[in-house]
Amino acid sequence: MFALPLTGWALVSVSVLNIPTVLYGILPWPDLPVLAPLGDRAPAEALLKLVHAYGAYALLALVAIHTAAALRHHFIIRDDVLSRMLPHLRRLPAVVPSRKEHSS
């Protein structure tokens, strides 16, 4: 979760388009000073674009696997993992009738 913003920041810092980085559309953000002395920025931009894209795909895959695992616990294994994560899914405890009520 920290790698994607950092690779994105690095990607914008070495971009051949020299687009200024503005955080949330309000705060001007400086480029990474480590990448400033690069002479030819195009190869670095291509590499960082690839790393950033693969990182995004990896994060999406991780979210999908996590979601699938939570749904597996809920629908196949039928334990309470998902209901513990989502409070509105909590079930009320089953009411067991006492023996006195059952015998009549």
Side-chain angles (χ1 to χ4, degrees), residues 3-9 11 47-57:
L4 273 181
L6 290 176
T7 58
W9 185 19
L11 178 62
L47 176 67
L48 285 169
K49 192 180 291 186
L50 189 67
V51 170
H52 189 69
Y54 281 135
Y57 288 131

Side-chain angles (χ1 to χ4, degrees), residues 9 31-37:
W9 185 19
D31 289 341
L32 281 171
V34 178
L35 302 174

Side-chain angles (χ1 to χ4, degrees), residues 46 57 60 99:
Y57 288 131
L60 284 173
R99 290 184 172 198

Side-chain angles (χ1 to χ4, degrees), residues 10-99:
L11 178 62
V12 171
S13 295
V14 298
S15 176
V16 294
L17 301 175
N18 292 325
I19 299 170
T21 306
V22 182
L23 192 62
Y24 302 114
I26 300 172
L27 181 66
W29 200 258
D31 289 341
L32 281 171
V34 178
L35 302 174
L38 288 176
D40 187 16
R41 293 181 167 206
E45 181 184 11
L47 176 67
L48 285 169
K49 192 180 291 186
L50 189 67
V51 170
H52 189 69
Y54 281 135
Y57 288 131
L59 183 61
L60 284 173
L62 189 64
V63 167
I65 290 168
H66 188 82
T67 303
L71 292 174
R72 178 180 175 264
H73 273 277
H74 187 70
F75 291 112
I76 296 172
I77 300 174
R78 297 199 181 272
D79 59 7
D80 63 342
V81 170
L82 187 62
S83 61
R84 283 186 287 159
M85 287 190 277
L86 302 172
H88 68 277
L89 284 183
R90 291 185 189 234
R91 295 183 187 139
L92 295 173
V95 178
V96 179
S98 65
R99 290 184 172 198

